[in-house]
Amino acid sequence: MLNLPLQPRYVLPPLCLIVLSTLLASLGMNNELEFNRPLIEQGQLWRLFTSQFVHANWVHLGLNCAGIALIWLLHGEYTTPKQYSFNIALLALWCGLGVYWFCPTITIYTGLSALLHGVIVWGAIKDVTVGLKSGYILFIGVWIKLILEQVNGPSAEIGQLIQSTVAVDAHLIGAIGGVILAVPLVVKHIKNDTKHS
């Protein structure tokens, strides 16, 4: 039987993220919140952060909500509401800044997928630090996916579904953010290993 993280402290944070993104989609807030390079350069800096929470269409939102649910299934018990909020907020800012700095050809950008790559990488590293070998498999799997995206380019099929080009460079930026976010986990793990050896 599956041991799902069903306690409110594990369910509410990802549910709030889904509700927030769905609410913004329902209100049609893309024009006000999406990553829009010319408008950011005119001073609308909030778009660096808010662009992660709006989506190109309902299919795009649905795919990302499925990603949120998958991460909850895999790693829901690892975070408190405070830790979850911190991870999401920091990765949202990191991804927005990363797209701005390192992807000069991206003019318009939306979606949670880059941020979610960071969250799943953080979770894979957390798996490793608590002794789960599956963490290595997940970590390697994510990086194989990212390398294939870099080599082959964005998926045309997904692009058609979401009516937008998949921003594979943003996925890479998000995953790097997840590694950086996990540095304290690794340091703590190494310190604990040193104490017990």
Side-chain angles (χ1 to χ4, degrees):
M1 184 174 165
L2 286 172
N3 186 20
L4 297 177
L6 293 172
Q7 295 92 329
R9 68 181 182 276
Y10 301 140
V11 173
L12 287 176
L15 189 60
C16 286
L17 185 55
I18 289 171
V19 168
L20 170 65
S21 297
T22 304
L23 181 63
L24 294 175
S26 301
L27 294 173
M29 297 294 289
N30 278 36
N31 286 341
E32 292 76 25
L33 302 179
E34 70 189 3
F35 180 102
N36 182 310
R37 188 172 293 275
L39 294 179
I40 290 168
E41 288 170 351
Q42 289 171 29
Q44 296 186 16
L45 299 180
W46 66 83
R47 293 174 180 273
L48 294 167
F49 182 81
T50 58
S51 54
Q52 314 304 312
F53 306 101
V54 292
H55 293 80
N57 61 19
W58 287 102
V59 175
H60 190 199
L61 173 62
L63 289 171
N64 281 330
C65 287
I68 294 168
L70 174 64
I71 292 167
W72 167 76
L73 284 170
L74 291 171
H75 303 134
E77 75 282 5
Y78 286 155
T79 58
T80 61
K82 185 178 177 181
Q83 178 76 59
Y84 191 94
S85 302
F86 177 80
N87 287 3
I88 295 299
L90 201 66
L91 285 167
L93 185 59
W94 167 267
C95 292
L97 288 169
V99 169
Y100 184 78
W101 285 329
F102 303 117
C103 306
T105 59
I106 294 180
T107 305
I108 303 291
Y109 171 79
T110 59
L112 280 163
S113 58
L115 180 159
L116 293 178
H117 278 75
V119 175
I120 202 162
V121 164
W122 182 90
I125 294 170
K126 179 70 174 177
D127 275 343
V128 172
T129 65
V130 299
L132 292 176
K133 299 287 188 274
S134 57
Y136 291 104
I137 296 167
L138 181 58
F139 186 83
I140 292 166
V142 170
W143 287 98
I144 289 171
K145 173 192 179 288
L146 291 165
I147 290 165
L148 289 174
E149 285 182 341
Q150 289 295 312
V151 171
N152 299 324
S155 165
E157 292 80 11
I158 299 293
Q160 285 177 344
L161 279 174
I162 68 172
Q163 297 172 356
S164 182
T165 303
V166 178
V168 295
D169 290 341
H171 293 173
L172 180 59
I173 289 165
I176 292 168
V179 171
I180 294 168
L181 195 61
V183 167
L185 297 177
V186 176
V187 170
K188 185 178 177 184
H189 179 64
I190 292 168
K191 282 181 178 176
N192 287 340
D193 275 0
T194 307
K195 281 180 187 175
H196 296 118
S197 60

